[in-house]
Amino acid sequence: TANNGVEAIAKMQTFRPTLIMMDIMMPKMDGIEAATRIRKMKGYENMLIMFLTARSEEYSEVAAFAIAIT
Protein backbone atom coordinates (compact mmCIF):
# COMPACT_ATOMS: atom_id res chain seq x y z
CA THR A 1 0.00 0.00 0.00
CA ALA A 2 0.99 3.63 -0.48
CA ASN A 3 -0.45 6.89 0.81
CA ASN A 4 0.20 8.97 -2.30
CA GLY A 5 1.29 8.74 -5.92
CA VAL A 6 4.96 9.44 -5.23
CA GLU A 7 5.13 6.66 -2.64
CA ALA A 8 3.24 4.31 -4.96
CA ILE A 9 5.79 4.71 -7.74
CA ALA A 10 8.69 4.18 -5.34
CA LYS A 11 7.14 1.04 -3.82
CA MET A 12 6.17 -0.56 -7.11
CA GLN A 13 9.79 -0.42 -8.24
CA THR A 14 10.90 -2.58 -5.30
CA PHE A 15 8.77 -5.47 -6.58
CA ARG A 16 6.75 -6.13 -9.70
CA PRO A 17 3.05 -6.10 -8.81
CA THR A 18 0.56 -7.98 -10.95
CA LEU A 19 -2.03 -5.24 -10.56
CA ILE A 20 -1.89 -1.62 -9.41
CA MET A 21 -5.11 -0.39 -7.85
CA MET A 22 -5.18 3.30 -7.00
CA ASP A 23 -7.44 6.20 -6.25
CA ILE A 24 -7.59 9.15 -8.60
CA MET A 25 -7.55 11.57 -5.67
CA MET A 26 -4.26 11.22 -3.79
CA PRO A 27 -1.98 13.81 -2.20
CA LYS A 28 1.39 14.84 -3.70
CA MET A 29 0.63 13.15 -7.05
CA ASP A 30 -2.83 12.06 -8.14
CA GLY A 31 -3.60 8.66 -9.62
CA ILE A 32 -3.81 9.93 -13.20
CA GLU A 33 -0.31 11.45 -13.02
CA ALA A 34 1.11 8.40 -11.23
CA ALA A 35 -0.35 6.04 -13.85
CA THR A 36 0.95 8.24 -16.67
CA ARG A 37 4.46 8.07 -15.20
CA ILE A 38 4.21 4.33 -14.63
CA ARG A 39 3.20 3.78 -18.27
CA LYS A 40 6.35 5.65 -19.40
CA MET A 41 8.68 3.44 -17.32
CA LYS A 42 10.54 0.70 -19.15
CA GLY A 43 9.02 -2.67 -18.35
CA TYR A 44 5.80 -1.21 -16.93
CA GLU A 45 4.11 -0.15 -20.17
CA ASN A 46 1.56 -2.98 -19.96
CA MET A 47 1.07 -3.03 -16.18
CA LEU A 48 -2.56 -3.64 -15.18
CA ILE A 49 -3.94 -0.49 -13.54
CA MET A 50 -7.35 -0.19 -11.93
CA PHE A 51 -8.77 3.06 -10.58
CA LEU A 52 -11.22 3.57 -7.74
CA THR A 53 -12.63 7.00 -7.06
CA ALA A 54 -15.49 8.95 -5.55
CA ARG A 55 -15.17 11.57 -8.27
CA SER A 56 -18.04 11.70 -10.69
CA GLU A 57 -17.03 14.21 -13.32
CA GLU A 58 -16.70 12.84 -16.81
CA TYR A 59 -13.13 14.14 -17.20
CA SER A 60 -11.86 11.89 -14.40
CA GLU A 61 -13.50 8.83 -15.88
CA VAL A 62 -12.22 9.52 -19.40
CA ALA A 63 -8.67 10.34 -18.23
CA ALA A 64 -8.48 7.24 -16.04
CA PHE A 65 -9.82 4.98 -18.79
CA ALA A 66 -7.38 6.43 -21.34
CA ILE A 67 -4.40 5.77 -19.08
CA ALA A 68 -5.60 2.34 -17.96
CA ILE A 69 -5.92 0.95 -21.48
CA THR A 70 -2.80 2.41 -23.09
Side-chain angles (χ1 to χ4, degrees):
T1 63
N3 294 316
N4 60 65
V6 174
E7 188 179 323
I9 289 174
K11 283 190 171 188
M12 59 151 264
Q13 292 179 65
T14 63
F15 68 97
R16 186 161 182 84
T18 304
L19 169 70
I20 297 173
M21 185 169 38
M22 68 175 77
D23 195 345
I24 290 177
M25 298 184 301
M26 295 188 294
K28 296 187 182 178
M29 180 188 305
D30 68 26
I32 302 293
E33 179 63 26
T36 300
R37 291 184 185 200
I38 290 167
R39 288 277 185 240
K40 292 179 181 177
M41 297 169 64
K42 185 173 175 71
Y44 292 91
E45 301 89 356
N46 297 313
M47 177 65 57
L48 294 173
I49 299 174
M50 182 171 80
F51 289 103
L52 299 173
T53 189
R55 296 181 80 165
S56 62
E57 47 297 308
E58 188 174 320
Y59 164 77
S60 295
E61 294 174 19
V62 170
F65 186 70
I67 295 300
I69 63 167
T70 25

